[in-house]
Amino acid sequence: MSYNIAVDGPAGAGKSTIARAVAKRLGIIYVDTGAMYRAIGLHILRQGIDPGDERAVIAGCDNAVITLKYEDGAQVVCLNGENVNACIRTEEVGKVTSQVSALPAVRSRIIALQKELAAREDCIMDGRDIGTCVLPDADVKIYLTASSAVRARRRCDELAARGQTCDLARIQADMEERDYRDMHREANPLRQAEDAVLVDSSDMTPDQVIDRILELCGRQEG
């Protein structure tokens, strides 16, 4: 039976960075579920579909094939055969993704792929509804969060490192709006699973968060 770790939390909490590092330390696969949803968001954006038009979004998803592969241990997300890792991290794609990923039809499609992968592989998976919906029987569940101000600053620094300009106040406002949408959507809203451990990283370094999760896993590295 596969060993699964579920990490949930709001946008900008550092889930991907932390989960990727934990996967490397434990020698297991990291599954970035947000990247899978972002690929759908990118597809809708490229098709020129209004993300608020549920019927058009669902129809548009019919010709979107999302697959995962691993190269040198790193996850590669493919949209209709194209590696879109470099295209899915913009704020524009993020905003579209937040809208379309709230649709039950879109979520059920991606969740099925996630469940299949977790059943086959030892993995750590991060997202919004991993511990509550995708992997309710995960061996370890973490709810990773931080204040919206800290998360906005981290995201701004991340974008600046890529040479992109950013407006800190706007990013924080967008995050708070995304938090509300994620927590109040009809399909599998963001919430802490009853058996998940809360880890607030507002005043923690990435290494401290990684060590805390490894401690909770109670497993030897490698």
Side-chain angles (χ1 to χ4, degrees), residues 91-141:
E91 287 299 299
E92 184 179 23
V93 170
K95 292 181 72 172
V96 172
T97 300
S98 182
Q99 291 180 266
V100 302
S101 66
L103 301 177
V106 173
R107 299 200 70 79
S108 62
R109 180 172 179 174
I110 298 298
I111 286 172
L113 295 175
Q114 295 164 359
K115 284 179 176 288
E116 289 173 10
L117 181 58
R120 296 194 311 267
E121 306 280 355
D122 289 351
C123 69
I124 179 169
M125 190 177 291
D126 76 306
R128 304 289 197 281
D129 60 353
I130 308 305
T132 55
C133 177
V134 182
L135 302 177
D137 298 320
D139 298 273
V140 177
K141 297 181 185 179

Side-chain angles (χ1 to χ4, degrees), residues 187-198:
N188 309 323
L190 168 64
R191 63 181 177 82
Q192 181 179 341
E194 290 184 4
D195 54 348
V197 177
L198 175 66

